[in-house]
């Protein structure tokens, strides 16, 4: 059996992304290593033992491959990642209270409730809640 173990999202600033994804979104730190010269290796994942074998790598988004990719995805209005929540409307209100800017308020689309937020480090992230 093949399973997803890690995926990544390019970010403007790894330390700032780490703070946003843990302090605001509520993920836990899985790995944090100083690679020298100000570079960090950081992965986060769901708290409380949920999805223990799945990590999100917060990857530096500079460079000849990453920067054009990030810019194109953002300019197209596409989310870099999609995150599932149990109660999207409650998370929307909580995150707005934390100062998170939403570029798309909650709306129903094809059996899911979705909203799109700015992660403060160069990406749009989509929150989804399956309906019914």
């Amino acid at each position: 059996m093949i399973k997803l173990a890690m995926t990544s999202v390019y970010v403007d600033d790894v330390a700032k992304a780490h703070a946003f994804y843990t302090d605001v979104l509520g993920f836990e730190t899985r790995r944090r290593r100083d690679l020298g010269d100000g570079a960090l290796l950081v992965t986060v994942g769901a708290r409380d033992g949920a999805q223990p074998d799945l990590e999100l790598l917060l990857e530096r988004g500079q460079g000849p491959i990453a920067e054009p990719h990030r810019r194109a995805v953002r300019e197209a209005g596409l989310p870099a990642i999609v995150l599932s929540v149990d109660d999207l409307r409650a998370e929307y209100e909580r995150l707005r209270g934390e100062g998170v800017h939403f570029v798309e308020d909650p709306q129903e689309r094809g059996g899911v409730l979705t909203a799109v937020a700015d992660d403060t480090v160069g990406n749009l992230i989509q929150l989804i809640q399956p309906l019914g």
Side-chain angles (χ1 to χ4, degrees), residues 24-25 85 87-102 104-106 113-115 117 127 129:
V24 177
L25 292 184
V85 298
D87 183 343
L88 188 131
R89 293 191 192 283
E91 282 297 323
Y92 173 80
E93 293 301 329
R94 181 186 75 77
L95 292 171
R96 283 189 56 206
E98 293 278 339
V100 173
H101 171 70
F102 279 81
E104 182 183 287
D105 295 332
L113 187 61
T114 69
L127 303 177
Q129 174 192 343

Side-chain angles (χ1 to χ4, degrees), residues 14-15 18 32-36 38-42 57-58 60:
V14 174
H18 185 219
R32 181 181 169 96
R33 291 195 189 110
D34 185 339
L35 301 175
L40 294 173
L41 173 94
V42 176
L57 172 63
L58 304 174
R60 287 174 36 170

Side-chain angles (χ1 to χ4, degrees), residues 3-15:
K3 297 184 340 181
L4 184 62
M6 183 182 297
T7 190
S8 65
V9 62
Y10 291 124
V11 298
D12 292 336
D13 179 314
V14 174

Side-chain angles (χ1 to χ4, degrees), residues 77-127:
L78 299 173
I81 56 175
V82 178
L83 305 172
S84 177
V85 298
D86 293 329
D87 183 343
L88 188 131
R89 293 191 192 283
E91 282 297 323
Y92 173 80
E93 293 301 329
R94 181 186 75 77
L95 292 171
R96 283 189 56 206
E98 293 278 339
V100 173
H101 171 70
F102 279 81
V103 299
E104 182 183 287
D105 295 332
Q107 52 188 288
E108 289 187 34
R109 292 190 174 161
V112 296
L113 187 61
T114 69
V116 179
D118 185 322
D119 76 352
T120 74
V121 287
N123 302 293
L124 298 177
I125 57 173
Q126 185 175 46
L127 303 177

